[in-house]
C-alpha cells in the first residue's frame, strides 16, 4: 500500500502538501524484535504501519513491562514523535512484534502539516483520543480486575490477532504483556488447564474452551 492509501487525511491535503509529505517520508523495513523507540529522547518521527505489528509498552523501575496497545496496518503511532507533541513526554518503548514495514514521517514536517491542515490536526486528535481511551481501559483493568479475567481477555485478544487458538507464547512473554511475574502467570495458566480452558506445552498455549474464557473475561 502506498502512503496515499494508508493516510486517512491524504485526500484533504493540497497537491503541494502531498508532495512535501511524499518527499519527507521514508519506507522502513524492520524485523521482528527490533526496538524502534525507547523514550522521549528518541525523536523518531510519526510511524504509519504498512504491514506487520508493533507493540507499545512501558517499563517499570524494577524491569517489568506492561503492553499499552498494539499497532496494526493503517495505524499511526504518535508517541514515537513525542518530542514535538507537548504533554506526551511518556517513557514508552515501541518494538516490532512481527516483521513490519513502516512509513516514517519526520516529526518536524508532520508538526508543520498539523499547523497547516485542519483535517490532519483533527485526525491526529482522534488518534490521541483513541489511544488515551486504550490506556485508561488498561489502567482500569490493572487496578480493579482480577488477574484471571485479565489473562482470559489477553489470550482471547491474542487468538483474534493471530487467527488461531494455538498461541506461540511463553509464560514470561505473557507476563511482560500484563505486567505480572512469570510465576503468577504460570500458576493461573495451570489453573486454566485444570479447568479445561487451555492446553499447555513448552512455549505454547492452546485455547480449548473459548466460550468459557469469554465468559470469564466478561466477568
Amino acid at each position: 500500500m502506498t502512503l496515499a492509501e494508508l493516510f486517512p487525511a491524504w485526500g484533504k491535503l493540497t497537491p503541494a502538501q502531498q508532495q512535501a509529505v511524499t518527499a519527507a517520508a521514508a519506507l522502513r523495513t524492520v524485523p521482528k524484535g527490533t526496538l524502534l523507540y525507547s523514550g522521549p529522547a528518541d525523536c523518531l518521527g510519526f510511524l504509519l504501519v504498512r504491514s506487520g505489528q508493533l507493540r507499545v509498552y512501558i517499563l517499570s523501575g524494577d524491569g517489568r513491562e506492561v503492553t499499552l496497545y498494539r499497532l496494526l496496518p493503517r495505524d499511526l503511532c504518535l508517541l514515537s514523535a513525542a518530542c514535538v507533541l507537548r504533554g506526551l513526554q511518556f517513557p514508552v518503548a515501541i518494538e516490532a512484534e512481527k516483521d513490519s514495514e513502516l512509513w516514517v514521517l519526520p516529526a518536524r514536517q508532520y508538526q508543520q502539516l498539523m499547523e497547516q491542515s485542519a483535517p490532519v490536526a483533527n485526525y491526529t486528535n482522534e488518534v490521541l483520543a483513541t489511544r488515551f481511551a486504550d490506556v485508561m481501559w488498561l489502567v482500569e483493568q490493572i487496578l480493579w480486575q482480577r488477574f484471571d479475567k485479565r489473562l482470559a481477555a489477553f489470550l482471547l485478544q491474542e487468538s483474534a490477532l493471530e487467527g488461531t487458538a494455538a498461541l506461540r507464547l511463553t509464560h514470561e512473554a505473557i507476563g511482560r504483556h500484563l505486567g505480572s511475574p512469570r510465576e503468577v502467570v504460570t500458576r493461573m495458566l495451570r489453573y486454566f488447564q485444570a479447568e479445561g480452558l487451555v492446553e499447555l506445552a513448552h512455549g505454547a498455549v492452546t485455547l480449548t474452551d473459548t466460550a468459557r474464557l469469554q465468559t470469564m473475561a466478561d466477568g
Side-chain angles (χ1 to χ4, degrees):
M1 288 183 285
T2 66
L3 187 59
E5 293 172 320
L6 287 173
F7 192 52
W10 184 266
K12 297 181 180 179
L13 299 178
T14 66
Q17 290 170 337
Q18 292 175 351
Q19 184 177 5
V21 171
T22 301
L27 184 61
R28 182 177 174 184
T29 300
V30 294
K32 176 181 177 181
T34 300
L35 181 64
L36 295 164
Y37 179 82
S38 58
D42 293 341
C43 198
L44 178 61
F46 293 84
L47 304 180
L48 189 57
V49 183
R50 185 184 187 194
S51 64
Q53 182 174 305
L54 308 183
R55 178 172 78 107
V56 180
Y57 65 95
I58 54 175
L59 185 65
S60 70
D62 60 1
R64 287 193 298 168
E65 297 177 8
V66 179
T67 298
L68 298 178
Y69 50 84
R70 265 63 173 269
L71 294 165
L72 304 175
R74 295 183 180 273
D75 282 342
L76 176 69
C77 182
L78 301 176
L79 294 180
S80 54
C83 58
V84 297
L85 294 174
R86 294 179 180 179
L88 282 183
Q89 304 296 311
F90 296 123
V92 303
I94 303 169
E95 70 171 1
E97 280 196 310
K98 298 179 180 180
D99 294 342
S100 302
E101 284 187 311
L102 319 164
W103 284 104
V104 182
L105 308 176
R108 297 300 175 186
Q109 280 84 348
Y110 193 89
Q111 183 185 38
Q112 293 174 0
L113 190 62
M114 285 192 295
E115 294 170 353
Q116 298 168 358
S117 171
V120 172
N122 291 337
Y123 167 64
T124 304
N125 288 332
E126 289 173 5
V127 173
L128 281 173
T130 299
R131 295 310 174 198
F132 180 74
D134 290 341
V135 173
M136 290 306 297
W137 178 87
L138 176 64
V139 170
E140 179 183 351
Q141 295 295 305
I142 292 173
L143 290 178
W144 309 118
Q145 301 299 339
R146 300 193 316 266
F147 184 67
D148 59 345
K149 179 176 178 178
R150 291 180 57 213
L151 180 57
F154 171 78
L155 294 174
L156 290 168
Q157 181 187 52
E158 288 297 300
S159 178
L161 281 172
E162 299 299 330
T164 177
L167 306 175
R168 300 297 303 176
L169 279 171
T170 65
H171 298 188
E172 183 177 0
I174 295 172
R176 287 199 302 270
H177 283 292
L178 298 178
S180 298
R182 178 183 57 79
E183 295 79 7
V184 174
V185 174
T186 296
R187 284 197 296 270
M188 189 58 69
L189 285 174
R190 287 175 177 168
Y191 167 73
F192 280 9
Q193 181 171 246
E195 292 294 308
L197 303 175
V198 302
E199 288 183 359
L200 304 179
H202 182 67
V205 179
T206 301
L207 281 55
T208 54
D209 195 334
T210 55
R212 288 174 62 202
L213 284 170
Q214 188 65 62
T215 299
M216 182 179 292
D218 291 340

